[in-house]
Amino acid sequence: MKKLSILMVIVFLLTMSYSCSEEFLTKEPPGSTSENVFYDATGIDALLIGTYAMVGGSSLWEISWGASIQNWTYGSAASDDAYKGSEEGDQTPVNDIERWQVQTTNGYPSNKWQWAFGMGVDRANKTIKVINKTEEDGTITADEATQFRAQARFLRALFYFEARLVFGDYIPILDENTEDPSLVTNVNADGAVLKFITDDLAYAASNLPASQAQVGRATKYAAMALAARAYLQDLKYSEAEALLDQIIASGKFTLVPDFMDNFNIETNNNEESIFEIQANVNDINESLNAEMGIGLNWPHGGDIGMCCGFHQPSQNLFNAYKVDANGLPMFDTFNDTDLANDAGIGSDETFVPTDHALDPRVDHTLSRRGIPYKDWGINRGNAWVRKQTDGGPYLPVAKPFFKKSERFSLSTTTGWQTGINANNYRYLRYTHVILWKAECAAARGDLETARTYVNMIRQRAKDSDVVMGKVLITKLPPEAYPWGIGSSDADYLTGGDVDWTQPAANYQIGLYTSFADANAAMEAVQWEQRLEFATEGMRFFDLRRWDDLPNQIGGKSMAEILNGFATADLRVRPSFLSGANFSDNDKYMPIPQNQLDQQVGVLEQRPEYK
C-alpha cells in the first residue's frame, strides 16, 4: 500500500469529480476529468487507490482532525482514556466533545460526516458504477470486476462502519444505484444500517483473496474482522464469533512477540496485521500521504517540542495500569487514589515517580515524568507539556510517535505539523480478534475459553520488552536533557544519570487462574481491552456497547463510569471537567446542522438533539 499511497496525489487530481467540496452534496467542478478515462482495468485501479487514500484522510488536513480514522476525539478524548490536551483555547470544538456538551453546529462531527459520505462513500459508489459499466462493455472480465467490486464494497462498508460509530443509525443508506442522494432519508428500519454494512463485507469476504500482493489492500480476513466488529457493536456475539473463529482457524495471523511491534515503524505490516492503513512521509510537500488526522497530537513543549500537544492520556488511565500482588488489575479500587504525577511541579523541582506495581504496557502507552521516552531522553515533565492545568501531566499518547533516530527520515521534513511520521495505523489486528473471541466466549459462559484468550494477550505483555533505564535523578532542569547532566544522545542505553540495567519502573503482570462466573470473565475481558487498546480510539464505543450487557461494565453503567472519572479528575485538573455530566443522550454525535440545512425535510436530527 505504500506504493499505492505515493500515487495518491496524482489520482486525487485525476478524480477531482469525486467530491472535493466542503459539503456532502457536491457538484462536479468545471473542467473535471470525465469518468470515461477510467473505463478499463488500469483506470478502475486508479479509482480504487483514490478511495483507499480517503481511508486515512490523506491530503485533507483541513478537515481530518475531526474525521480522523483513529477517532482520538470521539473514541478516546470523549472517554476516560484521555483528555483533549493542549490548551483550553485551542481547537475548542473538542472541549465540548470531552465535556459531553456537543452542539449540532460543532465542526468536528461535520468533518466526520463529510469524510464518510461526501468523500469515502461517494468515491466507493462511483467506483462501483464504473466497474459495473466496464464489465457490461466487456472491457474487463467478470473475475476482474468481482475483485475490484469486492475491494470497493469493503471500503464502502468501512466508511459506513465509521459513520455508524459516531452517528448511530441516523445515517442515509446510499449505494451505487442511488440516483439522487439529496432525496434519501437518514431514518431507517431497525437493523438496516448494520445489514447494509455486513452485506457489503460478506460479499467482500466471499470474493477477496486471503492475501494481497500490495500491502494495504483489503483481504477476506479484513472483511471478516470488520464485520465481526460491526456485529459486536450490537452485541450480536454468535454472528461475530463465527467470523472470528474462521480467522483464527486460518492460521494466517499470529501475535507478534513484542507488544510494541504493533506501534513501531520498523514493524509496520507484520504478521499480526489484518488491515493496516499505510503512511508515507517526505514524498510530497507536508507529507500529506501520512495520517493527517492526528497531526496535532505530538509533544509540544521543551526539548522535543513539535506540534501541538493534543490527545494526552488521563490520570484515570494511568491509574488503570495498577496491579495487585498477583499482577492483576485492581478492578474496584484502581482510581481511589492517584498514582504519583508531577502536576504543578516544575521540571527543576524534585519529583519521584511511583513505585507501585504496574502493568508493563503502561510506559509504552503514555509518557510520564522521570521515565525514559523512547530514545528521546528522560521525560522532563512540566517543561515538556504544553499546559498541565488544561491537558494533564502526560505527554500526547506514545503509540503513534517515532524515535529520535527516525526523525526527518521517517518523519516529515516539511509543513507545520512536525510530528507527522511513517507509522502505519493497525486498524484491524490479530489482538482484536483474540480479545473479541474472549468476549464472545464470556458472553456465552465459556469461562475457560475466555480465560485462555485473555491470558494469551497478558502472556505476550509479560514476555514483551519493558521500558529499561532507572532514572537516578529527581530534578530535571534543561541541562539534564537528554539523559542527565552533561549527557548526550550517545548515552542512550549506556550512560548518563540512568541505570540501564534496571527496568524504568516496577513492572509486574500475572495471568488469570480462573473466573468465578461469567460476569467475572466479562469484566476481565473488558479490562484487557482497555489496557491493550488504550488511546487507540475505541474506549468510548466499547463502553457504549457494554452498557447494554446485563452486568454492564463490571456492574456499573457507562454514565457511572464516565461521571466517576470526571469527578475524580478534579484532583488533577481542578476546573476542566468541573460540572461536566454524561447521560445516555451523549452516546452519539448529533447530525451536523449544515447537513440538515441542505436537506430540509429529508434528513432528521437524532431525537436527543431535537
Side-chain angles (χ1 to χ4, degrees), residues 470-596:
K470 186 74 173 178
V471 175
L472 304 176
I473 54 177
T474 59
K475 295 182 179 180
L476 296 167
E479 56 268 27
Y481 178 75
W483 301 111
I485 305 299
S487 67
S488 70
D489 288 341
D491 289 308
Y492 177 55
L493 299 179
T494 62
D497 292 316
V498 182
D499 182 350
W500 294 102
T501 68
Q502 294 188 57
N506 181 14
Y507 303 122
Q508 297 179 33
I509 189 168
L511 305 182
Y512 292 100
T513 57
S514 64
F515 293 134
D517 53 31
N519 285 337
M522 183 61 77
E523 185 172 24
V525 169
Q526 292 168 340
W527 266 84
E528 203 60 31
Q529 291 195 40
R530 184 184 193 189
L531 298 175
E532 182 76 10
F533 304 135
T535 70
E536 294 182 49
M538 297 179 65
R539 175 66 172 170
F540 184 90
F541 308 131
D542 283 340
L543 290 174
R544 185 177 65 200
R545 65 190 182 84
W546 292 333
D547 204 34
D548 291 330
L549 287 170
N551 199 45
Q552 297 179 301
I553 307 112
K556 293 182 179 180
S557 69
M558 183 180 188
E560 289 177 288
I561 295 284
L562 293 182
N563 288 324
F565 152 67
T567 300
D569 186 61
L570 300 178
R571 301 189 300 241
V572 179
R573 300 184 304 164
S575 62
F576 201 84
L577 284 179
S578 179
N581 182 73
F582 177 86
S583 74
D584 287 350
N585 287 342
D586 302 310
K587 287 184 173 181
Y588 292 94
M589 291 291 113
I591 309 307
Q593 189 62 48
N594 59 356
Q595 301 301 329
L596 296 172

Side-chain angles (χ1 to χ4, degrees), residues 24-43:
F24 163 46
L25 300 174
T26 62
K27 296 180 180 178
E28 294 185 355
S32 295
T33 302
S34 168
E35 285 183 355
N36 291 338
V37 301
F38 299 113
Y39 282 88
D40 59 24
T42 300

Side-chain angles (χ1 to χ4, degrees), residues 29-78:
S32 295
T33 302
S34 168
E35 285 183 355
N36 291 338
V37 301
F38 299 113
Y39 282 88
D40 59 24
T42 300
I44 291 170
D45 200 47
L47 296 180
L48 272 176
I49 293 170
T51 310
Y52 275 108
M54 283 298 97
V55 172
S58 296
S59 289
L60 299 173
W61 66 262
E62 301 94 335
I63 71 156
S64 60
W65 307 324
S68 173
I69 190 74
Q70 299 195 30
N71 287 313
W72 70 272
T73 50
Y74 316 109
S76 192

Side-chain angles (χ1 to χ4, degrees), residues 66 232 242 251-252 311 379 467:
L232 287 173
K252 182 75 175 174
H311 196 198
N379 182 328
V467 174

Side-chain angles (χ1 to χ4, degrees), residues 265-341:
I265 296 175
E266 66 263 31
T267 49
N268 282 344
N269 302 307
N270 58 48
E271 62 268 31
E272 189 168 321
S273 178
I274 297 176
F275 185 68
E276 194 158 315
I277 298 167
Q278 309 297 302
N280 276 359
V281 292
N282 302 323
D283 49 351
I284 57 172
N285 190 44
E286 296 195 71
S287 294
L288 294 176
N289 283 326
E291 213 286 76
M292 308 306 293
I294 57 171
L296 304 177
N297 303 350
W298 313 110
H300 182 81
D303 316 289
I304 66 171
M306 298 181 190
C307 177
C308 297
F310 288 82
H311 196 198
Q312 294 175 239
S314 69
Q315 181 67 38
N316 181 287
L317 179 63
F318 184 30
N319 294 341
Y321 284 97
K322 293 177 184 176
V323 297
D324 64 17
N326 296 313
L328 297 175
M330 300 171 63
F331 297 150
D332 300 320
T333 60
F334 81 100
N335 208 39
D336 289 353
T337 58
D338 290 335
L339 292 168
N341 65 70

